[in-house]
């Protein structure tokens, strides 16, 4: 039971993130960067360009980059779901919360106390710490699912009725009311992702420095290194 | 039941048979009319009821004042645009925004286009069937019709063959047994008096006008993007002008200006060669049907409109007359101040609304309140959702009762022409004198149902002529180097005062229209519209003064109690717009 | 009784020859996937079929849909009502009034049970027992339900009948509702727009009469043939959009050159309608061509999406209207500031811990 929240804190070095997860992580991060920047400028375009319309294609390229990154994000996400099934134990943490596990919730609180400077010594985790897992699931996993559904619903409008995107995601538009509402919520979703990224990157670097285990290098090499060998 | 003498000089007797007309048709919106007939089938009491309410004034609260025009434009699709214009004027007044000269010319053009179009459509498609009997037209001799047509007008479509074709088509239509819009008409009623030939002429032009009206509105389409419901802008007009350089094809350019010009020419032609001659021809057979004057000889009002120069809404700068005549005193034209809290007020004692302080008092629109209160009086016949007869001693209409200095007044083309006439302005006086002379009628005949219909026709012709003036002015201003159409200095709400209030007014096709707005922190705090049909179709006020519709119906004999042709005639002469009246 | 004019006769009078009439019938048969032999049946049916009766009811509305309808140029509104269908009831245009008018409804409902089309302009209101829209002393909603009972199909004209339109905008004081909220057992063809384009209106009706079937509808019940694409998909200013050339303010240089109106709040990218192709008033112009952005007038609830001039519109769920950027950037700002503060506190804490550790080490020595 306790294994599922990664409280086996004995070994010094553990292989946690398999290559596909690491590759996905960085490709995904890049796609989101592109999506965020291009999306923002789709919503609030840059000052107008002079000259003939046929001489520039700025919005066109921005939108193209957005859609391309959107595809990368979505396909990557599907791949990541596949890996959650076939990959190692840590690979499915992103998609399932041990919701009924009381111990896990206790450790969520413990981690919160650690971030609140109420605990002096952090715990060790092979996989994600429970608070991180909670944040990743709610903000990232649900957030990206939302962005993919709304994003492809909007994409379907351009791809026209009858396109694959329309068949798969067309229902999203009437669900929200109309297209403008979907734009608004998709746009809002960007800020949810931005908030996640701020918290996530900060936490990753901070934990790298302050916790008892490696972080950033883990997402590069796949190995979790622990700085001490105390069991707890 | 007692006889009531109203303070504004009418005698109401609700003793006789009650006749109900609901729905009143060939109007805009939902209206009910009840009258009492005495033993001789003469109307002795009239009740005018607006039977719809949407709550636009409530809906506008909290919105962006720059958006208001689009909401209020949807008050009515028949007088489309006039509410929008009134709204942008109100907001500009509140925020102190000055519009460019070109915007003024274009706005005038659009407002005049509306006048011309609305009057034309009203005459043929809403009003004509009160006077014209299409079934009788089957008996006409097309050759004789052609002779009449050629005698009264130079309009080229007037050959016997043309009228024969129309008659054949009509015949097929009637013989099909599917009478469509003409079904259940009162075609055997003796109130119809035209010879068959004139009936045929009018039916032909009913169809012709239906085709032609499409053209007139294209002026709205060019400057406003569509019709009905063209686009407007606080600060000017949204259509940019570019006639000289690259990109002109994306703006108002030479081709667009030419298009407008050609429509204006054809509109003038149609009104002067078809509408007016038909109107005179039909009127000549109803000269002695002298009913329906109502308030027109006693109390009329007009705010004035069509500013020659931009941003000056003073009477001297307005091409449509401004003023009020009370007590029938044509020598005394009083000034109307839409800002004065004591002048324009609305009462709700007989309307389905409540005021916070209770009944009895009027409210100036800046302090206006719109809170529904649907209740029926104790003498109502039927139930709350199955009304058989209303109780006019209690609340009985969705229309508020606007009053000017306490007076019920008539507004509209007839009011404008009476005031213009009284001001001795030749552009109003001469056409009236000529028309009356041609019909062999005295000036008093103007104060009637026929007079109202006549004034509207004359006004359509005036409006079409003024369209030419403003189109030429637009071109002249462009020629002088000014292409601007919008002033966006105060576009951003951060440039606005914390609180502001303004009023905008126009002369809509049906009469004086005003919008009063209060703005707080960039949002609409209060918005009130007092609309032409609110004035004319008004229910009683706390004093018991009756409105223009009710007054006009009184003392009219009805040929057949069961067939309300005469009631429709007089109501239609006002061109009722109920969506407008209640909003 | 007088002879009832048939659809065939109508077409003949429209100048269509018997030959092309028969050709039309075989084409129709082919389009319906029927064998050529059935063409003769179709021809026979059309030769005997009277004009379809249409009952056009009016609820809470501004009547601009009727006004738009009579602007139709092809076919002319005149030809539609005289020759193509039988507009037996329409309070705005009919000769008859009062109970004579109301009687027509009953006559047609009985005689053409299941075969008449109900056209609805405007919408019913439910507040105050429906008495903010009264017809014949009774709530309009009752008339609507009554006449809908035996109709073949319903055409919901305009934004009012399709979505609710302006009277249903917040706070919807009369509780106005679209037709599909009160009639659930009949096919409803929504023809939205405020108003719809005239030729789209006549296009939908003549399609139904010509092909004798309902048009194919999209997920929201609109005919695909006119509402299948957005204004933006076929807007002639689209090259400027793609190039990133926008009017930044009304009447600026970009506006005069016909640049894209996106930054002035154009809702073309989110609005399904035929304006940019069919255009208005026989192709004369459409809102964007005349310099004003599309306000989205054929979309559900377009009145409540914030200002018509805002590109980024509001999220009502946040109580006070706020747009996504304002809510999101504020939240991100707060989170960013919190993170910075947290980082500072962390650094101090860590420094103190380090300090203690070094002290310990020093003591060790
Ligand atoms: C758009 C930006 C990013 C997103 C959306 C993102 C998302 C994620 C997700 C979903 C995971 C969980 C991986 C899994 O379990 O499969 C993760 C893990 C991780 N990410 Fe990111 N990431 C982003 C950027 C970054 C950056 C810039 C860094 C480095 C500074 C970083 C460092 C890490 C680390 C260290 C982990 C592992 C955490 C652990 O071991 O518990 N991430 N990230
Ligand atoms: C992290 C993920 C994403 C972010 C942050 C993001 C961000 C944005 C933003 C801010 C906008 C502008 C919305 C507006 O104001 O109207 C936008 C538009 C759009 N996004 Fe995304 N997006 C994401 C994912 C996706 C995905 C997966 C797709 C799918 C292809 C997608 C497709 C679109 C489309 C089609 C538009 C509308 C473009 C237009 O109207 O021209 N987005 N996105
Ligand atoms: N009454 C009225 Fe209107 C007009 N004319 C508006 O102001 O019609 Ni709909
Ligand atoms: S849809 Fe719009 S245009 Fe049509 S009746 Fe309703 S408010 Fe008027
Ligand atoms: S003007 Fe509007 S519809 Fe046309 S391209 Fe620009 S955003 Fe799209
Ligand atoms: S505002 Fe309406 S008229 Fe067309 S361009 Fe937009 S849908
Ligand atoms: Mg009002």
């Amino acid at each position: 039971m306790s294994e599922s929240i990664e409280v086996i804190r004995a070994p010094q070095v553990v292989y946690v993130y398999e290559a596909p997860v690491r590759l996905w992580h960085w490709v995904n991060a890049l796609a989101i960067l592109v999506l965020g920047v291009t999306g923002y400028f789709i919503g609030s375009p840059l000052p107008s360009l002079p000259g003939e319309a046929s001489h520039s294609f700025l919005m066109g390229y921005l939108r193209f980059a957005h859609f391309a990154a959107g595809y990368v994000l979505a396909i990557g996400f599907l791949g990541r779901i596949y890996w959650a099934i076939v990959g190692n134990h840590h690979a499915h943490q992103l998609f399932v919360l041990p919701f009924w596990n009381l111990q896990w919730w206790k450790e969520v609180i413990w981690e919160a106390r650690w971030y609140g400077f109420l605990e002096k010594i952090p715990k060790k985790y092979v996989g994600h710490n429970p608070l991180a897992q909670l944040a990743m699931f709610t903000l990232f996993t649900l957030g990206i699912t939302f962005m993919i559904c709304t994003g492809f619903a909007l994409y379907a409008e351009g791809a026209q009725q009858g396109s694959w995107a329309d068949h798969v995601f067309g229902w999203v538009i009437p669900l929200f009311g109309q297209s403008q509402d979907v734009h608004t919520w998709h746009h809002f979703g960007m800020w949810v992702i931005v908030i996640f990224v701020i918290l996530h990157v900060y936490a990753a670097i901070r934990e790298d420095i302050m916790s008892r285990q490696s972080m950033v290098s883990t997402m590069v090499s796949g190995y979790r290194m622990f700085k001490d060998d105390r069991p707890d | 039941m007692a006889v009531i003498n109203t303070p504004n000089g009418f005698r109401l007797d609700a003793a006789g048979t009650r006749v109900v007309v609901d729905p009143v048709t060939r109007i805009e919106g939902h209206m009910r009319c009840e009258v009492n007939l005495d033993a001789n089938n003469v109307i002795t009491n009239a009740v005018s009821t607006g039977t719809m309410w949407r709550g636009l004034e409530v809906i506008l609260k909290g919105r962006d004042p720059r958006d208001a025009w689009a909401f209020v434009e949807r008050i009515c699709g028949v007088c489309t645009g006039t509410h929008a214009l009134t709204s942008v004027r109100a907001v500009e007044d509140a925020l102190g925004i000055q519009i460019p000269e070109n915007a003024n010319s274009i706005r005038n053009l659009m407002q005049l286009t509306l006048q011309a179009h609305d009057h034309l459509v009203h005459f043929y498609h809403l009003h004509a069937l009160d006077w014209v009997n299409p079934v009788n037209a089957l008996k006409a001799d097309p050759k004789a019709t052609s002779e009449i047509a050629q005698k009264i007008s130079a309009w080229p479509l007037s050959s016997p063959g043309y009228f024969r074709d129309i008659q054949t088509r009509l015949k097929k239509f009637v013989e099909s047994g599917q009478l469509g819009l003409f079904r259940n008409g009162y075609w055997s009623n003796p109130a119809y008096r035209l010879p068959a030939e004139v009936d045929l002429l009018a039916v032909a032009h009913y169809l012709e006008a239906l085709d032609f009206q499409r053209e007139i509105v294209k002026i709205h389409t060019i400057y406003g993007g569509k019709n009905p419901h063209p686009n407007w802008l606080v600060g000017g007009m949204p259509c940019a002008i570019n006639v000289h350089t690259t990109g002109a094809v994306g703006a108002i350019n030479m081709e667009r200006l030419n298009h407008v010009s050609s429509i204006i020419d054809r509109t003038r032609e149609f009104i002067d060669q078809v509408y007016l001659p038909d109107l005179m021809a039909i009127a000549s057979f109803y000269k002695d049907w002298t009913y329906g004057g109502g308030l027109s000889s006693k109390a009329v009002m007009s705010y004035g409109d069509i500013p020659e120069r931009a941003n000056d809404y003073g009477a001297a700068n307005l091409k449509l007359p401004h003023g009020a005549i009370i007590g029938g005193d044509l020598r005394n034209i009083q000034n109307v101040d839409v800002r004065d809290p004591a002048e324009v007020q609305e009462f709700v004692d007989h309307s389905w609304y409540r005021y916070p302080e209770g009944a009895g008092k009027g409210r100036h629109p800046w302090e206006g309140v719109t809170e529904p209160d649907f209740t029926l009086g104790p003498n109502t016949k039927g139930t709350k959702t199955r009304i058989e007869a209303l109780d006019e001693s209690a609340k009985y209409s969705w229309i508020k009762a606007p009053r000017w200095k306490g007076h019920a007044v008539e507004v509209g083309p007839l009011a404008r022409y009476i005031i213009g006439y009284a001001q001795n302005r030749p552009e109003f006086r001469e056409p009236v004198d000529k028309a009356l002379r041609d019909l062999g009628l005295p000036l008093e005949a103007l104060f009637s149902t026929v007079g109202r219909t006549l004034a509207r026709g004359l006004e359509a012709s005036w409006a079409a002529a003024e369209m030419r003036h403003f189109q030429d002015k637009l071109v002249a201003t462009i020629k002088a180097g000014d292409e601007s159409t919008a002033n966006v200095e105060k576009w951003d709400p951060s440039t606005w005062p914390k609180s502001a209030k303004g009023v905008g007014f126009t002369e809509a096709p049906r009469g004086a229209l005003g919008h009063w707005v209060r703005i707080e922190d960039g949002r609409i705090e209060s918005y009130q519209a007092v609309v032409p049909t609110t004035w004319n179709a008004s229910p009683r006020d706390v004093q018991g003064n009756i409105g223009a519709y009710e007054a006009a119906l009184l003392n009219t004999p009805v040929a057949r109690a069961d067939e309300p042709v005469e009631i429709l005639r007089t109501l239609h002469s006002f061109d009722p717009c109920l969506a407008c009246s209640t909003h | 009784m007088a002879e009832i004019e048939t659809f065939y006769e109508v077409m003949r009078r429209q100048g269509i020859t018997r030959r092309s009439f028969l050709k039309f019938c075989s084409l129709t048969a082919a389009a319906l996937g029927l064998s050529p032999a059935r063409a003769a049946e179709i021809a026979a049916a059309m030769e005997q079929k009277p004009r379809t009766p249409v009952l056009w009811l009016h609820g809470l509305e501004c009547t601009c849909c009727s006004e738009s309808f009579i602007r139709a140029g092809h076919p002319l509104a005149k030809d539609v009502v005289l020759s193509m269908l039988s507009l037996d009831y329409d309070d705005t245009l009919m000769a008859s009034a009062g109970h004579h008018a109301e009687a027509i409804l009953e006559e047609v409902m009985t005689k053409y049970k299941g075969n008449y089309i109900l056209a609805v302009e405007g919408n019913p209101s439910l507040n105050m027992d429906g008495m903010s829209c009264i017809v014949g002393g009774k709530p309009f909603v009752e008339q609507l339900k009554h006449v809908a009972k035996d109709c073949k199909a319903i055409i919901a004209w305009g934004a009012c009948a399709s979505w609710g339109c302006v009277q249903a905008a917040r706070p919807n004081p009369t509780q106005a509702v679209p037709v599909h909220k009160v009639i659930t057992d009949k096919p409803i063809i929504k023809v939205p727009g405020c108003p719809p384009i005239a030729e789209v209106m006549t296009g939908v009706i003549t399609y139904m009469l010509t092909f004798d079937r309902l048009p194919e509808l999209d997920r929201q019940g609109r005919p695909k043939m006119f509402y299948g694409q957005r204004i933006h998909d076929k807007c002639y200013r689209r090259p400027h959009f793609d190039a990133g050339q926008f009017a930044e303010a009304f009447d600026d240089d970009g506006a005069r050159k016909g640049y894209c109106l996106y930054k002035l709040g154009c809702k073309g990218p989110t609005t399904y309608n035929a304006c940019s192709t069919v255009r208005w008033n026989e192709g004369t112009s459409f809102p964007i061509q005349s310099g004003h952005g599309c306000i989205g007038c054929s979309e559900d609830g377009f009145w409540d999406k914030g200002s018509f001039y805002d590109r980024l519109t509001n999220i009502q769920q946040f109580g006070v209207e706020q747009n996504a950027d304002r809510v999101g950037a504020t939240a991100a700002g707060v989170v960013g500031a919190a993170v910075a503060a947290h980082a500072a506190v962390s650094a101090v804490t860590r420094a103190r811990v380090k300090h203690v550790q070094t002290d310990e080490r020093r003591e060790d020595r």
Side-chain angles (χ1 to χ4, degrees), chain B residues 224-473:
Chain B
K226 72 199 253 252
N227 173 284
H229 294 339
N231 293 304
W232 301 76
L233 186 75
V234 166
M237 285 305 288
C239 55
I241 296 174
N242 180 355
V243 286
H244 302 297
T245 66
T246 316
V249 285
I252 298 297
N253 55 40
M254 202 61 225
E255 178 271 335
R256 301 269 92 180
L257 292 171
N258 287 340
H259 196 160
V260 171
S261 219
S262 121
I263 296 169
I264 292 174
D265 291 342
R266 284 178 289 144
T267 303
R268 294 185 69 178
E269 213 170 76
F270 197 92
I271 289 175
D272 292 343
Q273 295 187 13
V274 182
Y275 179 3
L276 281 186
D278 284 0
L279 172 57
M280 293 297 286
I282 294 170
S284 70
F285 292 94
Y286 289 96
K287 278 198 288 202
D288 55 344
W289 202 79
T290 53
Y291 308 100
L295 284 184
S296 63
S297 59
K298 296 174 190 281
V300 291
M301 185 188 76
S302 169
Y303 296 150
D305 196 358
I306 314 298
E308 175 62 50
R309 280 164 286 104
N311 305 309
D312 175 359
Y313 300 100
N317 191 43
L318 300 177
K319 302 196 107 174
L320 277 171
H322 166 103
I325 293 173
I326 299 297
D329 183 0
L330 295 190
R331 282 152 310 173
N332 179 16
I333 300 164
Q334 305 184 38
N335 183 50
V336 175
D337 181 358
V338 291
R339 293 166 199 274
D340 183 343
E343 295 198 10
V344 175
Q345 292 188 337
E346 286 191 307
F347 294 81
V348 294
D349 305 80
H350 292 274
S351 314
W352 287 315
Y353 305 93
R354 73 171 79 86
Y355 280 164
E357 72 277 9
K361 279 225 202 68
R363 280 178 164 261
H364 183 263
W366 267 329
E367 306 304 327
V369 172
T370 303
E371 201 195 327
D373 178 20
F374 183 75
T375 54
L376 297 169
N379 299 322
T380 307
K381 293 220 181 72
T383 67
K384 197 175 173 192
T385 53
R386 231 161 220 73
I387 301 169
E388 283 154 28
L390 284 160
D391 175 2
E392 65 269 26
S393 71
K395 291 179 184 288
Y396 68 93
S397 178
W398 280 112
I399 304 174
K400 289 181 182 176
R403 296 291 181 262
W404 182 72
K405 292 191 175 170
H407 301 285
V409 296
E410 172 171 338
V411 299
L414 179 57
R416 294 191 277 258
Y417 268 66
I418 291 170
I419 296 165
Y421 193 99
Q423 288 169 336
N424 252 322
R425 290 165 68 169
E427 68 273 33
F428 301 111
R429 192 162 189 141
E430 283 164 14
V432 169
D433 284 339
K434 178 169 185 315
L436 291 174
R437 202 165 49 240
D438 291 352
L439 288 169
L441 288 171
L443 183 60
E444 294 71 58
L446 198 58
F447 307 108
S448 67
T449 292
V450 174
R452 206 170 281 117
T453 299
L454 184 67
R456 183 173 296 105
L458 298 178
E459 189 175 68
S461 170
W462 173 86
E466 286 297 321
M467 282 158 72
R468 169 51 58 214
H469 169 73
F470 283 103
Q471 176 69 7
D472 291 349
K473 184 168 177 180

Side-chain angles (χ1 to χ4, degrees), chain B residues 25 28 77 169 175-176 211 485, chain C residues 3 62-63 78 83 96 251:
Chain B
T25 53
E28 193 294 330
R169 187 166 187 187
E175 283 172 356
S176 76
D211 289 350
T485 50
Chain C
E3 152 211 2
C62 79
T63 313
K78 161 181 94 178
S83 306
S96 172
D251 204 20

